[in-house]
């Protein structure tokens, strides 16, 4: 272990030399998509609750309810574009 | 106070769907031409199917309609409490306490007149916050004092015990009933508004407060007009309900003495003046208070509707549904009773609250 100490020190020094930004572009894009997904989830919370309420009163509302519920999912799809352009 | 997050979206969706299945104005026009049994038949094909079928064996005619209406109302309002959570539950339940107040009044009157508990039970509307078991226990007692004792641990205990002393002195039920009413209205605004001038200024809660203030104001106005019209020598202050913006207590006591000034005072108020202008005109030249009271009801309903479109996902839509449902029940009852005693179509139409 002690024999390798100089080499380890060298590796550590080298790593310091190449250290770039803390967050790479792809990492930032991933966070962007994640945040968009979170927002979509929050939006769907309210719509989903309302849709379930409507379906409970009237079964015919199932299809419109489902469509309305997944509409905010477009947020995530648009955010996915970011992944391809970085 | 209940726990958990508020779920206005869910409750709103269900309420709006139910609101859509209320009777339309054309239905009333059809109903006016029917006799009691035809009305029951008509109701059987709508919303009220289950209640009419369940009660059809025991009652008939107008009684059947009336009990079916009450049961349906209780079912729907109970559902509202079932669905809602958190803050929304608090807001709805404190409004539905008006049925608790109604039930307790009915029971107290029943005990006072020595009515059979079963006969009282059919007149109750189980839509409030008090549980059925509590109401059953209140029904079983023989004296009003015991009834109040059963209610200990509910919010009605303290005001009722205070009013009971007065009841013992005078032997009139009025103090007890006033105590119940006052308790209901004073709890309506608690913890939302800390007195006048300190209400929330915007957002759904501000509208909720505004609506409740309107209701309290209309209630005060109605009481004041009745007192002024009947010329009864009663102290207006004992009927005054706090929390409104239209009158304060001294104003009310002064205005009751002078009918014209009272009408002007209501008409000049800037919050309600425009909305009630049609009703006020009618009040000035007509001599029936009933017309005016119906106009007040209609104005309140319209008011609630506006509020529910300003803040779609809030308690306002639920309140407007509660009012609309009550109006429907009252209208159908008025039609059925009116047909029973043989009123003409136009006379019945005057009794209805139609927007």
């Amino acid at each position: 272990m002690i024999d390798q100490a100089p080499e380890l020190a060298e590796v550590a020094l080298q790593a310091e030399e190449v250290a770039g930004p803390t967050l790479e572009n792809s990492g930032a894009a991933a966070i962007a998509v994640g945040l968009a997904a979170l927002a979509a989830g929050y939006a769907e919370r309210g719509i989903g609750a309302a849709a379930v309420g409507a379906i409970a009163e009237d079964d015919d509302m199932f299809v419109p309810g489902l469509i309305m519920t997944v509409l905010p999912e477009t947020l995530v799809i648009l955010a996915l574009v970011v992944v391809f352009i970085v | 106070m209940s726990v958990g997050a508020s779920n206005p979206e869910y409750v709103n969706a269900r309420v709006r769907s139910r609101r859509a299945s209320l009777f339309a104005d054309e239905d009333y026009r059809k109903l006016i031409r029917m006799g009691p049994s035809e009305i029951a038949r008509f109701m059987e094909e709508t919303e009220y199917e289950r209640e009419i079928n369940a009660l059809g064996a025991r009652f008939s005619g107008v009684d059947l309609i009336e009990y079916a209406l009450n049961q349906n109302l209780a079912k729907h309002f109970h559902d509202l409490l079932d669905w809602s959570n958190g803050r929304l539950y608090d807001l709805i339940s404190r409004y539905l306490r008006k049925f608790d107040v109604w039930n307790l009044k009915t029971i107290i009157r029943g005990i006072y007149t020595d009515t059979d508990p079963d006969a009282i039970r059919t007149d109750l509307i189980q839509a409030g916050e008090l549980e059925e078991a509590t109401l059953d226990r209140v029904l079983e007692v023989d004296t009003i004092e015991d009834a109040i004792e059963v209610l200990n641990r509910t919010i009605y205990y303290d005001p009722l015990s205070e009013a009971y002393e007065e009841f013992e002195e005078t032997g009139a039920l009025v103090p007890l009933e006033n105590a119940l009413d006052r308790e209901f209205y004073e709890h309506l605004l608690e913890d939302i508004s800390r007195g006048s001038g300190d209400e929330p200024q915007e957002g759904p809660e501000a509208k909720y407060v505004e609506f409740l203030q309107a209701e309290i104001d209309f209630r005060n106005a109605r009481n004041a007009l009745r007192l002024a019209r009947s010329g009864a020598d009663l102290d207006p202050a004992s009927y005054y309900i706090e929390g409104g913006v239209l009158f304060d207590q001294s104003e009310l006591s002064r205005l009751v003495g002078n009918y014209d000034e009272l009408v002007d005072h209501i008409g000049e108020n800037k919050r309600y003046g425009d909305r009630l202008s049609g009703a006020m005109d009618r009040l000035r030249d007509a001599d029936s208070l009933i017309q005016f009271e119906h106009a007040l009801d209609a104005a309140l309903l319209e008011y609630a509707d506006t509020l529910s479109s300003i803040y779609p996902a809030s308690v306002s839509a639920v309140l407007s549904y509660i009012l609309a449902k009550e109006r429907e029940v009252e209208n159908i009852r008025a039609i059925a009773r009116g047909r029973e005693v043989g009123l003409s179509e136009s006379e019945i139409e005057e009794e209805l609250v139609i927007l």
Side-chain angles (χ1 to χ4, degrees):
Chain A
M1 188 67 186
I2 296 181
D3 312 341
Q4 293 163 344
E7 285 139 50
L8 270 177
E10 209 165 287
V11 171
L13 280 174
Q14 269 174 358
E16 206 168 288
E17 275 164 32
V18 296
T22 5
L23 196 57
E24 295 289 339
N25 278 353
S26 52
I31 290 179
V33 176
L35 285 176
L38 209 62
Y42 180 72
E44 280 168 15
R45 182 200 79 107
I47 304 173
V52 169
I55 296 166
E57 287 297 317
D58 179 3
D59 287 338
D60 294 343
M61 291 301 287
F62 181 73
V63 176
L66 197 69
I67 293 172
M68 292 296 172
T69 309
V70 298
L71 272 188
E73 212 53 46
T74 49
L75 277 179
V76 190
I77 296 172
L78 290 177
L80 267 182
V81 174
V82 178
V83 171
F84 296 110
I85 57 177
V86 292
Chain B
M1 188 67 70
S2 56
V3 287
S6 187
N7 57 348
E9 298 91 353
Y10 177 74
V11 177
N12 258 297
R14 298 203 71 161
V15 160
R16 278 168 197 274
S17 158
R18 296 216 167 167
R19 168 118 214 218
S21 62
L22 293 181
F23 286 0
D25 286 354
E26 303 89 75
D27 290 328
Y28 291 130
R29 251 158 246 138
K30 257 187 266 168
L31 283 172
I32 286 177
R33 278 182 232 109
M34 296 179 184
S37 50
E38 278 172 290
I39 296 178
R41 269 292 296 280
F42 182 83
M43 283 166 65
E44 204 183 336
E45 281 153 27
T46 61
E47 268 281 299
Y48 299 94
E49 187 188 351
R50 189 182 303 176
E51 285 78 18
I52 293 274
N53 285 339
L55 295 166
R58 278 194 288 153
F59 304 102
S60 66
V62 182
D63 283 343
L64 171 64
I65 294 171
E66 184 145 357
Y67 295 139
L69 287 171
N70 281 351
Q71 270 203 7
N72 189 272
L73 188 81
K75 182 183 87 182
H76 282 294
F77 290 172
H78 199 80
D79 282 350
L80 290 180
L81 291 178
D82 250 7
W83 298 332
S84 52
N85 284 326
R87 181 79 179 148
L88 190 63
Y89 177 90
D90 286 335
L91 296 182
I92 298 177
S93 70
R94 73 172 63 162
Y95 191 74
L96 288 181
R97 271 187 204 142
K98 86 164 140 191
F99 292 100
D100 285 337
V101 170
W102 157 268
N103 286 343
L104 291 178
K105 276 187 193 172
T106 314
I107 294 177
I108 288 176
R109 279 182 209 162
I111 295 174
Y112 188 68
T113 54
D114 276 328
T115 314
D116 180 46
D118 282 325
I120 307 175
R121 198 190 309 264
T122 50
D123 283 327
L124 300 185
I125 302 174
Q126 310 261 5
E129 209 186 16
L130 288 181
E131 281 162 30
E132 221 179 317
T134 318
L135 286 178
D136 278 343
R137 276 173 41 225
V138 186
L139 273 173
E140 276 157 22
V141 299
D142 295 323
T143 67
I144 293 176
E145 197 173 7
D146 291 341
I148 296 174
E149 212 48 54
V150 173
L151 291 172
N152 110 33
R153 280 204 297 181
T154 67
I155 55 165
Y156 309 106
Y157 180 68
D158 289 337
L160 277 179
S161 343
E162 266 169 48
Y164 186 72
E165 286 163 25
E166 208 182 316
F167 164 72
E168 269 189 325
E169 282 165 29
T170 59
L173 287 176
V174 180
L176 291 175
E177 296 186 348
N178 278 347
L180 283 171
D181 274 337
R182 186 134 352 110
E183 186 66 12
F184 165 68
Y185 280 109
E186 274 162 21
H187 272 282
L188 269 182
L189 289 174
E190 93 189 326
D191 87 11
I192 307 178
S193 149
R194 288 173 295 279
S196 63
D198 199 15
E199 293 101 356
Q201 289 304 312
E202 49 188 42
E205 298 231 320
K207 295 292 169 195
Y208 181 72
V209 171
E210 211 177 295
F211 169 77
L212 293 179
Q213 281 174 341
E215 175 151 346
I216 292 175
D217 282 336
F218 287 0
R219 171 73 46 193
N220 276 334
R222 196 175 300 203
N223 286 344
L225 284 170
R226 280 189 192 162
L227 281 177
R229 184 53 77 87
S230 67
D233 188 25
L234 291 165
D235 179 18
S238 65
Y239 292 92
Y240 177 73
I241 300 158
E242 304 245 351
V245 292
L246 188 56
F247 304 107
D248 59 36
Q249 196 157 348
S250 53
E251 247 178 340
L252 187 75
S253 311
R254 183 172 58 81
L255 289 170
V256 163
N258 187 333
Y259 184 73
D260 291 327
E261 248 180 77
L262 177 65
V263 174
D264 286 339
H265 180 82
I266 301 173
E268 278 161 17
N269 185 280
K270 56 182 185 301
R271 198 191 274 190
Y272 309 116
D274 291 344
R275 209 166 314 220
L276 290 176
S277 57
M280 298 309 298
D281 291 342
R282 243 181 293 164
L283 182 68
R284 283 205 185 83
D285 39 54
D287 32 43
S288 97
L289 264 186
I290 296 176
Q291 285 287 319
F292 180 70
E293 290 186 2
H294 287 168
L296 279 185
D297 283 341
L300 197 62
L301 190 61
E302 224 167 289
Y303 200 46
D305 281 346
T306 348
L307 295 188
S308 79
S309 45
I310 298 177
Y311 291 103
S314 73
V315 69
S316 319
V318 182
L319 287 185
S320 100
Y321 170 72
I322 293 178
L323 283 183
K325 182 78 189 169
E326 273 183 287
R327 178 186 73 124
E328 175 180 285
V329 165
E330 255 151 47
N331 280 348
I332 298 178
R333 183 182 298 147
I335 295 176
R337 289 278 176 218
R339 293 302 299 189
E340 191 193 26
V341 297
L343 292 181
S344 74
E345 279 165 27
S346 59
E347 276 171 317
I348 298 177
E349 209 153 340
E350 267 176 26
E351 294 295 318
L352 302 184
V353 182
I354 294 179
L355 284 184

